[in-house]
């Protein structure tokens, strides 16, 4: 762990106890001193990112931290269901940046930041082309999955339900009973209560 300039680099040395000996030499004599340096394991976090949630919606903060015997603290705690766990659910009323501090039992820390952007408007697309070309193949309502209690239904012109989803974990691919539906006009109903915060 000693660099060419004589500095001890803990990341090069690695976790553990290292005996470092310094020797001073002159033409006629020498003197040595040995010290022990302990390199502790530090938590490692993946970089945070920006997240989007619909107004009055909720989203889990997907932090990933590796380490042993870690404790967690999110700040600010406002809008979080539990600021002392790795992945709390956030339901902020306005855009907010959250900081996670993960601390090992030896006192080593790592910090990571997530910004939650609150969207004020639900945007529902009125067309899609489920032809399997990889472009616009799904009828996807952005961020509707942040309303876990929502119900989404799609009806054909005869009033038959061709898509029904409690919550919105997956967008519609234009199929009904494993069959591709024909091009045409379909009708939607979105209902449910926004999550309470």
């Amino acid at each position: 762990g000693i660099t060419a300039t004589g500095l001890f680099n803990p990341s090069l040395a690695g976790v553990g106890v290292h005996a470092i000996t310094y020797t001073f030499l002159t033409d006629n004599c020498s003197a040595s001193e040995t010290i022990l340096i302990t390199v502790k394991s530090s938590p490692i976090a993946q970089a945070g990112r920006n997240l989007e949630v619909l107004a009055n919606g909720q989203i889990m903060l997907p932090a990933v931290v590796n380490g042993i015997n870690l404790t967690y603290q999110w700040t600010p705690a406002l809008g979080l269901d539990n600021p002392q766990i790795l992945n709390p659910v956030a339901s902020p009323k306005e855009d907010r940046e959250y900081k996670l501090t993960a601390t090992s039992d030896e006192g080593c820390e790592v910090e990571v930041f997530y910004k939650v952007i609150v969207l004020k408007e639900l945007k529902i697309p009125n067309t899609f082309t489920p032809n399997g070309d990889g472009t616009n193949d799904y009828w996807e309502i952005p961020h509707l999955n942040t309303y876990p209690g929502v119900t989404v239904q799609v009806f054909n012109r005869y009033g038959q339900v061709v898509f029904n989803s409690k919550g919105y974990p997956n967008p519609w691919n234009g199929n009904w009973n494993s069959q591709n539906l024909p091009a045409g006009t379909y009708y939607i109903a979105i209902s449910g209560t926004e999550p309470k915060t």
Side-chain angles (χ1 to χ4, degrees), residues 43-112:
I44 300 171
Q46 290 185 9
R49 62 181 194 270
N50 290 350
L51 306 168
E52 294 179 335
V53 62
L54 288 171
N56 298 317
Q58 59 186 34
I59 190 167
M60 184 187 74
L61 300 179
V64 177
V65 181
N66 297 316
I68 299 171
N69 297 326
L70 300 178
T71 57
Y72 307 102
Q73 185 63 55
W74 288 90
T75 54
L78 189 64
L80 299 180
D81 66 337
N82 185 344
Q84 295 181 329
I85 62 174
L86 178 60
N87 301 118
V89 174
S91 50
K93 298 294 186 186
E94 57 190 26
D95 294 358
R96 189 170 309 284
E97 185 172 64
Y98 292 102
K99 178 180 78 172
L100 168 64
T101 303
T103 308
S104 74
D105 56 1
E106 295 180 320
C108 297
E109 293 184 350
V110 66
E111 294 180 346
V112 64

Side-chain angles (χ1 to χ4, degrees), residues 20 32 48 52 54 58 61-62 92 94 101 104 140 144 150 163 170 179 194:
I20 306 297
S32 296
E52 294 179 335
L54 288 171
Q58 59 186 34
L61 300 179
E94 57 190 26
T101 303
S104 74
E140 185 168 6
L144 191 60
V150 75
F163 176 76
N170 299 303
Q179 299 292 319
E194 297 171 352

Side-chain angles (χ1 to χ4, degrees), residues 84-171:
Q84 295 181 329
I85 62 174
L86 178 60
N87 301 118
V89 174
S91 50
K93 298 294 186 186
E94 57 190 26
D95 294 358
R96 189 170 309 284
E97 185 172 64
Y98 292 102
K99 178 180 78 172
L100 168 64
T101 303
T103 308
S104 74
D105 56 1
E106 295 180 320
C108 297
E109 293 184 350
V110 66
E111 294 180 346
V112 64
F113 296 84
Y114 284 83
K115 183 171 185 181
V116 179
I117 300 167
V118 178
L119 306 174
K120 304 299 183 187
E121 182 181 351
L122 180 64
K123 295 183 179 178
I124 302 173
N126 61 2
T127 60
F128 76 117
T129 55
N131 57 8
D133 67 354
T135 302
N136 202 28
D137 282 337
Y138 294 90
W139 181 67
E140 185 168 6
I141 304 172
H143 313 295
L144 191 60
N145 62 330
T146 63
Y147 286 171
V150 75
T151 297
V152 180
Q153 292 181 306
V154 179
F155 303 86
N156 64 17
R157 62 182 177 168
Y158 305 109
Q160 293 174 298
V161 176
V162 295
F163 176 76
N164 186 33
S165 178
K166 179 72 172 172
Y168 193 67
N170 299 303

